Amino acid sequence: QVLHFIQPFISVFLPVFLIVSITWNKRMDTNYNETQLDLTPVEFRLLTFLHNMPGKVFSREQLMNALYEDQRIVTDRTIDSHIRNLRKKLNHAGCTDDIIHSIYGIGYKYEL
């Protein structure tokens, strides 16, 4: 079982408990187990960022800095909204495990 992040000429395969296939193209088409997720570019970057460092806890500020490279001004609750939407989309696609955990008073972490 693997999690695939497939980009042109690059594939990363990591062991996980779920079978997930996430693909990226110019239109940001993203699938979970053959179900279209319709992620926004920010949601996709968020999922990718968290996945690349499983178990690491990130504050909302760290996530904002990683997701908004143009240093636009957003509130820390914007991250909460993106996390909530990402969880809903993953759940709708059949991901019953909560792979993005809230860490009270700190932020979020991704665990397989």
Side-chain angles (χ1 to χ4, degrees):
Q1 297 176 344
V2 293
L3 176 60
H4 306 272
F5 282 87
I6 303 171
Q7 297 176 347
F9 311 110
I10 298 172
S11 285
V12 178
F13 299 92
L14 299 172
V16 295
F17 300 105
L18 309 168
I19 299 173
V20 179
S21 178
I22 299 177
T23 59
W24 163 328
N25 64 24
K26 289 181 182 178
R27 296 180 341 176
M28 294 297 296
D29 290 340
T30 309
N31 298 296
Y32 172 86
N33 287 345
E34 300 181 21
T35 301
Q36 181 113 5
L37 291 178
D38 294 321
L39 298 181
T40 66
V42 172
E43 290 166 349
F44 184 84
R45 287 194 309 270
L46 176 59
L47 180 60
T48 303
F49 182 79
L50 291 170
H51 171 76
N52 286 335
M53 290 179 258
K56 182 170 173 56
V57 178
F58 293 98
S59 69
R60 289 174 181 88
E61 183 176 350
Q62 288 172 311
L63 292 172
M64 285 188 304
N65 290 336
L67 297 178
Y68 296 102
E69 296 172 355
D70 60 0
Q71 301 303 313
R72 73 182 71 182
I73 298 172
V74 294
T75 68
D76 58 352
R77 297 302 174 192
T78 301
I79 296 300
D80 296 346
S81 178
H82 290 306
I83 294 285
R84 183 178 57 253
N85 292 337
L86 186 53
R87 285 175 173 160
K88 281 182 187 177
K89 291 176 182 182
L90 287 166
N91 187 273
H92 181 72
C95 180
T96 57
D97 296 327
D98 186 15
I99 59 175
I100 302 173
H101 300 274
S102 299
I103 308 301
Y104 182 78
I106 300 174
Y108 298 97
K109 74 175 176 176
Y110 175 90
E111 274 191 327
L112 306 175

